[in-house]
Amino acid sequence: MMDINLALGGGGSKGNAHIGVLRVLEREGFRVRAVAGTSAGGMAAAAYAAGCSPGEIEAHMSSIDQSKLYSFHLGGEPSLLGIDGVEKALYNLLGERTFNELEIPCALTAVDLISGRKVVLKEGRVMDAVLATVAIPGIYPAKKLDDQTLVDGGVLDPVPVSVARAISPNPRLPVVAVVLTPATNESELPDSHQYNLILNRIARTRIAKAFEIYFRSIEIGTSAITELRLQIDAPEVIIRPDVSKIGYLDRVDVSRVVKLGEQAAEAALPELRKFTGWRGRVRRLF
């Protein structure tokens, strides 16, 4: 077995690609010793750490009626959409598990709106942490935990490489970062159909156009922050599925997106083996 630490990035509906990456890693004999995730990557990280196989996660995600994941939100924390459907779908995978009950070390990231700081969630009920890490500011309701008001960890750390190292029983293992945003110089405007979940419910007016601008600005900012964090945190291997045409809230063919993850992981195998082979292990000793 070849041991690695894993950091899974955010990206909404693009996050199904993580399932394909996990499938290839397992098939090729890589063993994940610790996993950290942000937003959609946090969902995948939590499910995998709970012992769900990639096949089980894919089957579960494929069985979900994506039209019922979100609804317009009334009451509670201010937000455009409620995520009762998301919460129900996740509960079927995670139940009442706590982080102490997970099979491998796992942590999710969020940002506290009060302090403005990144928060690493690795204790307590896993469901609470997932609902915090997926809370896109203004779109989904923030998650109240203790004295914190938590939103999507991608605001500050879209791919939590340093967190994966910090929670690992062996921080010197190579970190594999799965990035769902294109490299900054490759970024292009996604097809406008990706915003249909919201835009179909709002007449195509200036308001609808404003949402296109808002989501595009999120993508631009996230891509820029991601590249800066990758330079600072320096994961040994980056896997970047080609999901640039998929929007955060798209209804997707889960199996197709999973396949994109598989393809990216397969292309990265030579690099992975370079860092996990005997030469790579010797380098890490010095």
Side-chain angles (χ1 to χ4, degrees):
M1 296 290 285
M2 296 167 281
D3 290 352
I4 58 172
N5 298 320
L6 191 60
L8 304 180
S13 297
K14 307 175 189 188
N16 289 293
H18 290 310
I19 302 169
V21 172
L22 289 166
R23 173 172 290 147
V24 171
L25 292 176
E26 281 197 353
R27 185 189 73 205
E28 298 297 324
F30 293 92
R31 180 172 60 176
V32 177
R33 298 302 305 275
V35 58
T38 293
S39 197
M43 294 169 57
Y48 190 68
C52 299
S53 71
E56 289 170 336
I57 301 172
E58 180 180 3
H60 182 72
M61 296 304 295
S62 296
S63 71
I64 293 170
D65 183 347
Q66 295 176 47
S67 68
K68 297 181 179 179
L69 286 177
Y70 314 104
S71 60
F72 279 107
H73 184 59
L74 299 174
E77 290 295 316
S79 66
L80 179 66
L81 297 177
I83 55 173
D84 290 346
V86 175
E87 185 170 1
K88 180 179 178 180
L90 290 171
Y91 192 85
N92 290 336
L93 281 177
L94 300 172
E96 293 292 328
R97 285 185 181 86
T98 66
F99 280 92
N100 288 335
E101 295 172 308
L102 297 179
E103 296 188 5
I104 59 175
C106 176
L108 313 184
T109 65
V111 172
D112 180 19
L113 289 178
I114 298 172
S115 68
R117 296 178 179 175
K118 181 175 81 173
V119 177
V120 177
L121 301 166
K122 54 183 180 179
E123 297 178 349
R125 198 173 76 123
V126 178
M127 271 293 302
D128 291 331
V130 173
L131 293 175
T133 197
V134 302
I136 300 174
I139 302 299
Y140 304 149
K143 179 66 177 177
K144 295 277 192 179
L145 278 180
D146 300 324
D147 58 350
Q148 299 173 315
T149 301
L150 302 178
V151 295
D152 192 328
V155 171
L156 291 178
D157 194 0
V159 188
V161 173
S162 62
V163 177
R165 286 196 183 103
I167 65 171
S168 174
N170 185 353
R172 301 184 72 174
L173 289 175
V175 175
V176 177
V178 185
V179 182
L180 301 182
T181 54
T184 304
N185 60 350
E186 299 173 359
S187 183
E188 57 181 282
L189 185 65
D191 296 335
S192 61
H193 77 273
Q194 71 168 298
Y195 307 113
N196 281 349
L197 178 65
I198 292 177
L199 299 186
N200 283 348
R201 301 186 181 195
I202 302 173
R204 286 192 172 272
T205 62
R206 291 164 61 98
I207 296 176
K209 196 64 180 178
F211 274 102
E212 290 191 31
I213 294 169
Y214 175 71
F215 275 102
R216 177 57 179 160
S217 68
I218 288 178
E219 290 183 320
I220 292 170
T222 299
S223 291
I225 294 171
T226 297
E227 297 310 303
L228 289 172
R229 290 301 309 235
L230 290 174
Q231 290 179 32
I232 294 168
D233 296 332
E236 281 70 20
V237 178
I238 295 175
I239 298 176
R240 204 184 292 259
D242 183 11
V243 290
S244 61
K245 293 294 186 180
I246 301 170
Y248 279 81
L249 303 182
D250 263 1
R251 295 177 191 173
V252 297
D253 179 342
V254 171
S255 63
R256 185 180 72 84
V257 183
V258 169
K259 186 65 176 178
L260 294 175
E262 292 176 1
Q263 292 169 351
E266 287 165 354
L269 286 174
E271 190 76 0
L272 278 161
R273 292 191 174 110
K274 182 176 78 173
F275 279 99
T276 55
W278 69 267
R279 287 187 179 88
R281 291 196 293 270
V282 169
R283 281 198 301 270
R284 290 196 299 274
L285 294 175
F286 300 98

